[in-house]
Amino acid sequence: MGQKILFDKIHIPGIKTYDVYRENGGYASVEKALKMNPDDITEEVKTSGLRGRGGAGFPVGLKWSFIDKKSGNPRHLVCNADESEPGTFKDRYLMEYIPHLLIEGMITSSFALGANLSYIYIRGEYMWIFKTLERAIKEAYAAGWLGKNIKGSGYDLDLHVHCGGGAYICGEETALIESLEGKRGNPRIKPPFPAVKGLWQNPTVVNNVESIASVPWIVLNSGEDYAKIGLGRSTGTKLFSVSGHVKKPGVYEIEMGITVDEFMNSDEYCGGMIDDRPLKGLIPGGSSVPILPQHLIFKTANGEDRLMTYESLADGGFATGSSLGSGGFIVYNDTACIVRNTWNFSRFYHHESCGQCSPCREGTGWMEKILWRIENGQGTEEDIDVLWSVQAKIEGNTICPLGDAAAWPVAAAIRHFRDEFEYHIRFPEKIKNRDHFVNEPFEKVKHLLNSVTI
Amino acid sequence: MKVTIDGIEIEVEPGTTVLQAARMIGGDVVPPAMCYYSKLKDTGGNCRACLVEVSKGSEADPRPMPKMMPSCKTGVMDGMEVKVKTSERALDARKAVTEFLLINHPLDCPVCDQAGECDLQNLSFKHGLEKTRFKEEKRTFEPENIGDKIQLHMNRCILCYRCVHTAEQVCGSRNHGVLNRGDHAQISTYVSAAIDHEMSGNMIDVCPVGALTDKTFRFKSRVWFNKPFNAHRNCDKCCGKTTLWMFGNEIQRVTARKDEYHEVEEFICNECRFDHKEVSDWVIEGPRKFEKFSVINQNNYTRKMDTVKIATEKQILEGREQDRKKISMKEVPYKNTENS
């Protein structure tokens, strides 16, 4: 059993309520933090090597140290609970079952940053969690952990939960800030970064739920202890939300550094493939990261074991690697159709593009339409090349990373599964009449591609 | 601050953007701008047509920037080196943006009032493909009436947000904005209300394409058949300095005066724009200069006109001399002698 930091107390009955949480050592980190110097907490988080859990993996301590303390403007901490990436549902689990952990993390982190007004921005679809959090915050106010002069330390903090309107783009930190200000959720152009000019032009730090929920443990123990868990620059534990064709899908907390093989096949975690069908592909970090084909999942391109760390999953760049992303672990067996899956992702990004900058606005729609045609047996050979060039033109030319997120899955699918696209184009009748590949997995019909000459 | 754009050095004030520095140099190093508008605050960054490559960040940090930067939003640093037309990547990105802007654009230039003074036309003329790779159906919108003075043609819109910024900054009160998301985002008003403000006509001038056009000028004439004259009148709402677009002695439309980047010099009010179409209302200063290669220049009366000779009648009747010879005599070289 690996060490649990976030899920340590999650199975205690009634942990949702303040009393049970407090009895089990809750809010101890706040008590400790309020006696510390705020800058020391930041230093502690820096030594822990905690990296942002929202997807980009930017070191949290470093992000905190960028916040502009000199200007004297009020500072804000915003918790990004707008978890909308297809395949990622870890924050939902954390907030639903142990809401006080997040609130405790928010208080400790806000104190470290010197923020007196902090927000949790939650997506609109998580309405019941919004209510859970509101109730938990009310309890925390009643117990004196929030409000004026917290526990006699002279530190004030107000915490609000804000419910978004249900837009994926509002998970991007500047779009989130815009949305929180009550505007249309369009990402801002950086620089200036939120650490200088964020919410209401004040210095702001935006962190993922999981990052913030890890802070209490770091404060209670120490940054060094946290850095001991994990491997290399990937320290600590990470939540993975596993979905797809595995025996035991769900949210798992792992110590970083175990192998992908162990994570997928051990009984402690995913428990192997469902119905013991062969593995076809894996998306290790939510829909926006590249898919890995079967031969690159357990071993990297140069034959090393692939580990559950930021570095190892990204090993080989996008040619033979992927990215840890936000930890949405999606497993496909041989009955999955990669083209259909890619189309589905593309459809999502088309729907969620904010429409502010032209490559993403027009390109995502274009890709979705081409993929829809290929998926329905109306594609042509050159469509694959057009698709490749469209994704290459979106990537890197947009304001925010949504353009990249839309381009990467398409690029990886063509890179690793090009023959499946060709099969869709050359055998439209088979595609139209198939039962979503269940009765005719691609491996069985692959030989047709070689037997037909055009 | 010293900044080098395509090898040309220029000294600029701190806080200048790369695009502004390029405009100070002028010529063909100026990246195209579809959404940036120097007269409005906070514009730019949306269209990505002005992407440039920064090959050297600054004197203090000489690393190149990994991503292409929007020149309209990137502030200059001391010692910065920027590549605009010398960068293959930047030109590729510009071509990509042009293609993206055109895939859902109706390409109805023959019936569009903006044709001839359209920034998207210019952009696609320079950087566009001659054919399309987009086989799908273009997205369309329901037509919407936003008032009796301004015609909204949403299908042509490239969502540059210029008109939204105009409404915020020039009109004072904003009664239109962007609805919906992604490629279904559209400029619209709150429950089809009319756009009603005395400065609202300026959104016609700022629109880079034919999405917002003048209803009083609609289908009256092509732009290049008109002759622009500078004129002014005493107006208590605005500066009153305008350009009159004349056909003979008739004022067909009134716009603000635009500079070489098609940006208005000063905003004008709706009264000047829509209500004064009599020559007697205006003090005409004189004909307005326009770009050498502007489509308006095709009708330029200041240029000496060549007499057009039509020398084809004989050829039509008898065929070309060379062809007649070639048919009968193989040794006669195939060379155009008559039409040279």
Side-chain angles (χ1 to χ4, degrees):
Chain A
M1 281 290 275
Q3 188 172 0
K4 301 279 183 273
I5 287 176
L6 304 167
F7 286 179
D8 195 19
K9 300 167 197 158
I10 208 159
H11 299 295
I12 299 170
I15 194 77
K16 267 189 199 181
T17 58
Y18 171 75
D19 296 333
V20 180
Y21 185 75
R22 180 73 179 137
E23 278 161 28
N24 285 283
Y27 290 99
S29 78
V30 182
E31 280 174 332
K32 189 179 172 188
L34 289 176
K35 287 177 198 130
M36 288 169 76
N37 183 355
D39 289 338
D40 292 344
I41 303 175
T42 309
E43 277 308 306
E44 208 62 44
V45 175
K46 251 188 191 172
T47 28
S48 76
L50 173 67
R51 291 172 70 170
R53 302 299 197 219
F58 193 79
V60 174
L62 200 58
K63 200 176 196 176
W64 288 11
S65 65
F66 287 154
I67 195 167
D68 177 15
K69 288 193 174 177
K70 283 178 209 144
S71 68
N73 289 334
R75 296 181 285 275
H76 302 290
L77 172 69
V78 179
C79 172
N80 184 348
D82 191 82
E83 173 188 55
S84 331
E85 181 101 352
T88 308
F89 42 87
K90 60 185 175 67
D91 297 345
R92 162 185 167 173
Y93 192 79
L94 199 64
M95 289 186 289
E96 186 172 353
Y97 289 99
I98 184 159
H100 281 284
L101 181 65
L102 174 63
I103 292 160
E104 186 182 348
M106 283 299 286
I107 301 167
T108 317
S109 311
S110 300
F111 179 72
L113 293 165
N116 298 108
L117 180 57
S118 297
Y119 291 90
I120 299 171
Y121 184 94
I122 194 163
R123 69 184 286 208
E125 287 88 341
Y126 285 176
M127 191 39 105
W128 77 100
I129 305 176
F130 170 75
K131 286 175 183 156
T132 313
L133 283 173
E134 286 239 296
R135 198 180 310 125
I137 287 174
K138 215 176 257 176
E139 286 172 336
Y141 265 108
W145 296 108
L146 285 168
K148 293 256 176 265
N149 193 11
I150 296 168
K151 298 288 169 192
S153 66
Y155 173 64
D156 310 333
L157 175 66
D158 278 312
L159 180 62
H160 299 286
V161 196
H162 182 87
C163 199
Y168 174 72
I169 189 63
C170 291
E172 204 273 341
E173 58 179 3
T174 52
L176 187 150
I177 289 170
E178 287 274 302
S179 172
L180 202 52
E181 286 180 6
K183 300 180 194 152
R184 185 182 156 86
N186 277 357
R188 291 179 186 168
I189 293 159
K190 293 186 256 185
F193 287 92
V196 182
K197 278 185 175 177
L199 189 60
W200 296 304
Q201 303 296 308
N202 293 333
T204 307
V205 165
V206 183
N207 274 137
N208 183 255
V209 172
E210 196 188 337
S211 314
I212 290 175
S214 304
V215 173
W217 195 92
I218 295 170
V219 172
L220 269 183
N221 297 276
S222 74
E224 273 169 40
D225 285 348
Y226 194 84
K228 276 178 203 155
I229 312 166
L231 192 75
R233 286 182 58 229
S234 303
T235 56
T237 62
K238 171 91 186 84
L239 299 185
F240 274 90
S241 22
V242 183
S243 57
H245 299 128
V246 286
K247 281 197 179 124
K248 294 197 298 180
V251 183
Y252 294 98
E253 181 172 16
I254 59 157
E255 286 183 24
M256 287 217 252
I258 66 168
T259 61
V260 177
D261 190 22
E262 185 192 340
F263 183 62
M264 270 182 61
N265 294 323
S266 76
D267 287 336
E268 189 188 340
Y269 302 117
C270 306
M273 298 298 290
I274 201 165
D275 301 335
D276 295 316
R277 287 195 80 106
L279 175 64
K280 181 174 186 178
L282 166 73
I283 295 175
S287 69
S288 62
V289 308
I291 188 168
L292 288 173
Q294 204 264 331
H295 63 279
L296 290 171
I297 293 174
F298 300 124
K299 299 272 178 198
T300 59
N302 37 12
E304 292 158 20
D305 277 344
R306 206 177 281 278
L307 309 174
M308 303 286 278
T309 61
Y310 285 97
E311 291 80 23
S312 181
L313 284 172
D315 186 81
F318 283 162
T320 59
S322 182
S323 168
L324 188 135
S326 55
F329 204 79
I330 312 173
V331 185
Y332 299 99
N333 69 14
D334 62 338
T335 63
C337 172
I338 298 298
V339 179
R340 190 173 184 83
N341 177 63
T342 314
W343 165 70
N344 194 20
F345 285 162
S346 245
R347 189 179 59 137
F348 174 78
Y349 290 114
H350 174 209
H351 185 252
E352 296 295 342
S353 167
C354 78
Q356 191 183 190
C357 59
S358 21
C360 173
R361 177 181 70 233
E362 310 290 351
T364 48
W366 193 0
M367 287 202 299
E368 195 243 314
K369 283 171 183 164
I370 295 179
L371 280 162
W372 171 245
R373 269 196 295 123
I374 296 178
E375 163 62 18
N376 281 285
Q378 294 159 19
T380 54
E381 293 274 334
E382 63 258 35
D383 277 345
I384 305 176
D385 296 327
V386 173
L387 204 54
W388 181 265
S389 103
V390 172
Q391 70 79 18
K393 286 174 171 189
I394 299 174
E395 194 204 333
N397 289 346
T398 51
I399 294 175
C400 79
L402 194 139
D404 303 345
W408 290 338
V410 177
I414 298 177
R415 192 182 292 124
H416 299 304
F417 296 95
R418 196 182 170 108
D419 45 3
E420 210 168 311
F421 283 85
E422 285 170 2
Y423 175 74
H424 271 70
I425 287 160
R426 290 191 204 160
F427 300 96
E429 287 311 311
K430 270 188 176 300
I431 294 305
K432 281 176 196 160
N433 300 326
R434 88 193 138 149
D435 183 10
H436 294 310
F437 263 34
V438 175
N439 296 321
E440 214 172 50
F442 182 61
E443 285 300 317
K444 268 196 200 170
V445 293
K446 205 175 175 181
H447 64 275
L448 288 172
L449 273 179
N450 301 325
S451 63
V452 175
T453 51
I454 299 168
Chain B
M1 278 188 171
K2 201 177 273 178
V3 55
T4 314
I5 299 172
D6 278 347
I8 305 166
E9 262 186 21
I10 186 170
E11 197 75 30
V12 295
E13 295 288 310
T16 319
T17 62
V18 174
L19 186 79
Q20 283 162 347
R23 283 186 176 182
M24 285 174 200
I25 296 171
D28 52 0
V29 300
V30 185
M34 302 298 290
C35 62
Y36 171 77
Y37 209 75
S38 59
K39 308 294 183 296
L40 297 167
K41 274 184 289 175
D42 299 330
T43 51
N46 299 349
C47 71
R48 319 304 279 179
C50 68
L51 286 177
V52 293
E53 189 178 336
V54 179
S55 52
K56 184 183 169 189
S58 66
E59 209 58 70
D61 181 12
R63 286 175 302 165
M65 292 188 184
K67 276 190 170 186
M68 309 283 285
M69 301 302 286
S71 58
C72 57
K73 280 280 186 184
T74 312
V76 294
M77 307 284 253
D78 195 28
M80 191 184 238
E81 281 175 23
V82 183
K83 287 177 174 179
V84 182
K85 57 168 182 157
T86 49
S87 157
E88 212 47 50
R89 267 176 77 204
L91 290 178
D92 274 354
R94 204 177 294 169
K95 275 185 194 149
V97 169
T98 312
E99 189 176 12
F100 283 136
L101 288 177
L102 287 172
I103 57 170
N104 279 319
H105 193 78
L107 299 175
D108 56 352
C109 307
V111 295
C112 176
D113 277 330
Q114 189 85 3
E117 52 176 22
C118 173
D119 287 352
L120 189 59
Q121 253 183 346
N122 298 349
L123 186 75
S124 62
F125 190 73
K126 269 192 183 152
H127 304 286
L129 294 170
E130 62 271 30
K131 62 186 176 67
T132 179
R133 301 189 294 168
F134 186 73
K135 294 180 192 168
E136 276 70 33
E137 199 175 309
K138 296 193 185 225
R139 61 123 165 68
T140 50
F141 296 93
E142 286 289 312
E144 192 180 338
N145 188 1
I146 58 164
D148 59 342
K149 294 287 170 37
I150 304 166
Q151 175 70 32
L152 171 67
H153 204 304
M154 194 51 220
N155 291 347
R156 295 175 186 153
C157 179
I158 59 165
L159 282 174
C160 65
Y161 282 69
R162 275 183 187 174
C163 60
V164 181
H165 287 292
T166 310
E168 262 168 4
Q169 292 164 28
V170 181
C171 302
S173 70
R174 199 179 96 180
N175 43 19
H176 76 286
V178 179
L179 294 187
N180 298 337
R181 258 197 320 237
D183 60 4
H184 288 280
Q186 68 178 103
I187 303 290
S188 185
T189 56
Y190 180 68
V191 204
S192 288
I195 291 179
D196 183 27
H197 188 274
E198 62 188 26
M199 298 295 272
S200 65
N202 287 302
M203 65 179 68
I204 299 167
D205 279 345
V206 301
C207 185
V209 292
L212 294 162
T213 48
D214 190 337
K215 264 192 185 170
T216 59
F217 179 60
R218 214 171 173 224
F219 303 141
K220 259 193 184 167
S221 171
R222 303 319 311 236
V223 172
W224 54 89
F225 293 139
N226 287 170
K227 283 163 195 165
F229 288 87
N230 277 353
H232 65 265
R233 65 180 275 271
N234 282 333
C235 177
D236 49 353
K237 291 176 196 151
C238 66
C239 62
K241 291 177 189 164
T242 60
T243 303
L244 307 181
W245 296 77
M246 313 268 286
F247 188 79
N249 209 23
E250 183 193 347
I251 298 175
Q252 296 216 318
R253 79 170 168 166
V254 182
T255 66
R257 296 181 188 177
K258 294 189 186 178
D259 62 12
E260 55 179 321
Y261 303 109
H262 308 139
E263 289 177 7
V264 301
E265 283 160 13
E266 275 168 287
F267 293 109
I268 60 166
C269 67
N270 280 8
E271 195 193 328
C272 289
R273 185 185 302 273
F274 298 120
D275 298 343
H276 294 279
K277 296 285 170 78
E278 295 298 324
V279 181
S280 54
D281 294 339
W282 297 93
V283 181
I284 294 180
E285 294 164 14
R288 188 169 171 77
K289 286 204 172 73
F290 31 77
E291 293 160 52
K292 190 178 175 191
F293 297 110
S294 148
V295 69
I296 301 158
N297 205 17
Q298 301 311 306
N299 217 26
N300 185 357
Y301 61 91
T302 58
R303 191 181 62 187
K304 204 176 172 196
M305 292 295 197
D306 299 329
T307 324
V308 182
K309 280 186 207 156
I310 302 169
T312 49
E313 193 184 4
K314 192 171 150 244
Q315 285 177 21
I316 290 164
L317 293 174
E318 298 170 22
R320 287 190 298 182
E321 191 69 14
Q322 65 198 30
D323 292 338
R324 265 183 286 138
K325 280 177 186 162
K326 197 163 181 256
I327 292 162
S328 52
M329 287 191 283
K330 276 180 187 152
E331 63 275 12
V332 173
Y334 190 83
K335 194 182 160 198
N336 195 342
T337 50
E338 240 178 61
N339 298 334
S340 61

